[in-house]
Amino acid sequence: MQITAPYLLFIGDATDELSIKMARGAADWRPELCVGEMQVTGCKVSTGLPQMTIVEAVEQGAKTFVLGFANSGGVLEERWHPYILEAISCGMNVVSGLHDKLAAVPELVEAAKSYGVQLWDIRHPTAEFKTGTGVPRQGKRLLTVGTDCSVGKMYTSLSLERAMKEQDMDVDFRATGQCGILIAGQGVAIDCVIADFIAGAAEQLSPDNNNEHWDIVEGQGSLSHPAFAGVSMGLLHGSQPDALVICHALNREHMRGLPHTNFPSLKETIALNLQAARLTNPNVKIAGITVNTSSVSVEEGKAYCEKISQEFSLPCVDPVRDGCNDIVAFLKQECN
């Protein structure tokens, strides 16, 4: 799969910041690949990129129309079809990270054929996977895990990759979600892999490598989330991580989308993930904690991270505000 840049990021009428994480991820980590974003009436969020129509984007050189939003269940609603058809008629490829497939809509398929463009359903792996083996692999691996969904596992992974590359470390970001795949250009949408093959897919995603090489594996879900613990567990076992980084969102009161649930503590999250990870790597260690502190001021965020760092004797940072150099330093000391 070769996704053709530049992109126009379509965020529709989204009102929730978390619902446009695919568009925001591309805008934050690969802004050079994006010409702008497109909204429709009712939209209350933004990636910060210039606003433009499909025609204006094409005039700016855009080649791909990216559905940059997500909804519960990943549904491709019919009200978005006219915008997709307009993009196709203007010669643009279309990328979707939704569960519903572009390729399952005959009208879109016929239009794409007529205009000679591609429809990419990047959430749907086409590779064949085997079941996991648990056999140790060469190289080093770090997996980001979380107290909940959408707490910053992808941003932490990319921030770690950036910090490690700046220190001339041999490292690759391994994408496991549609947002990460758009950013990296490759990967496996792990939540769309059949359950029996999740661990095996993670093994294939991060194969044998040289002893000094690090794979930063993007985490998914949370072992504490009633809906998504299964994919988190499979990814833990298949990644065989040498190190875990715990990701947390400050002031989150319940699991995302489940107001009746209790939110797990960092202590509980660490214990759960270490126990699960030790099945395939008994020597796994916690390398640090990252916190999305965007709900408070920079000063309050730093104070909270310092408190957590002292409590757990681990580096704790906001990966966006602070970067991940402290965690990388700890990693080099403790996991070499």
Side-chain angles (χ1 to χ4, degrees):
M1 180 186 297
Q2 294 292 327
I3 302 174
T4 308
Y7 309 146
L8 172 64
L9 306 176
F10 178 58
I11 59 175
D13 58 2
T15 59
D16 176 11
E17 289 281 355
L18 292 177
S19 72
I20 64 164
K21 66 178 185 178
M22 183 161 170
R24 184 174 292 282
D28 287 351
W29 293 97
R30 297 292 187 270
E32 70 278 6
L33 301 184
C34 308
V35 300
E37 74 174 23
M38 178 182 172
Q39 302 180 353
V40 300
T41 302
C43 187
K44 297 182 179 179
V45 294
S46 173
T47 64
L49 293 175
Q51 299 288 323
M52 57 185 65
T53 66
I54 291 171
V55 171
E56 289 170 340
V58 171
E59 291 174 350
Q60 293 293 320
K63 302 297 183 184
T64 298
F65 188 68
V66 176
L67 305 188
F69 54 81
N71 52 39
S72 180
V75 178
L76 178 60
E77 299 181 28
E78 287 190 20
R79 62 196 176 109
W80 303 132
H81 290 187
Y83 300 100
I84 298 171
L85 288 169
E86 180 184 354
I88 290 172
S89 70
C90 288
M92 299 179 74
N93 304 306
V94 183
V95 166
S96 172
L98 300 171
H99 282 295
D100 285 353
K101 293 182 178 182
L102 296 166
V105 183
E107 184 181 19
L108 301 181
V109 174
E110 291 175 11
K113 288 181 179 177
S114 296
Y115 288 95
V117 300
Q118 299 293 317
L119 302 179
W120 287 310
D121 291 299
I122 62 175
R123 198 166 190 165
H124 296 272
T126 56
E128 293 186 1
F129 301 110
K130 299 179 181 179
T131 55
T133 65
V135 174
R137 308 194 296 283
Q138 288 186 309
K140 299 183 180 73
R141 290 159 192 85
L142 182 151
L143 174 68
T144 51
V145 297
T147 50
D148 192 10
C149 307
S150 304
V151 291
K153 294 183 290 293
M154 184 186 75
Y155 273 63
T156 293
S157 299
L158 288 163
S159 182
L160 283 164
E161 181 204 32
R162 175 182 288 171
M164 293 167 82
K165 283 186 174 180
E166 288 174 350
Q167 297 184 38
D168 295 322
M169 295 175 69
D170 186 7
V171 60
D172 283 308
F173 167 65
R174 302 297 188 182
T176 62
Q178 67 274 27
C179 310
I181 292 170
L182 182 65
I183 293 166
Q186 59 183 344
V188 176
I190 207 75
D191 63 355
C192 283
V193 175
I194 295 172
D196 278 357
F197 301 96
I198 292 175
E203 290 181 359
Q204 289 177 233
L205 179 68
S206 176
D208 276 314
N209 217 308
N210 68 72
N211 289 332
E212 299 305 314
H213 179 86
W214 279 95
D215 274 341
I216 307 300
V217 183
E218 175 193 7
Q220 295 294 328
S222 168
L223 289 183
S224 297
H225 199 294
F228 308 121
V231 70
S232 306
M233 182 72 81
L235 193 52
L236 263 168
H237 292 162
S239 297
Q240 295 179 15
D242 298 278
L244 298 173
V245 169
I246 310 297
C247 306
H248 175 62
L250 185 57
N251 292 328
R252 188 78 63 89
E253 296 181 352
H254 56 76
M255 306 307 287
R256 188 182 180 203
L258 302 176
H260 63 283
T261 58
N262 295 321
F263 200 77
S265 69
L266 283 167
K267 184 177 180 180
E268 291 169 331
T269 301
I270 289 171
L272 276 172
N273 282 276
L274 280 177
Q275 181 180 9
R278 283 171 179 153
L279 178 68
T280 54
N281 190 343
N283 299 316
V284 62
K285 297 178 181 180
I286 303 296
I289 299 167
T290 64
V291 183
N292 178 344
T293 63
S294 60
S295 63
V296 298
S297 68
V298 172
E299 292 74 18
E300 290 172 312
K302 285 186 178 297
Y304 179 82
C305 287
E306 288 174 5
K307 173 188 173 184
I308 295 300
S309 181
Q310 292 176 8
E311 180 179 350
F312 291 96
S313 298
L314 290 166
C316 179
V317 298
D318 182 315
V320 174
R321 288 175 167 176
D322 307 322
C324 283
N325 285 330
D326 289 352
I327 294 178
V328 173
F330 186 90
L331 194 68
K332 292 170 74 173
Q333 178 180 337
E334 298 293 328
C335 298
N336 278 334

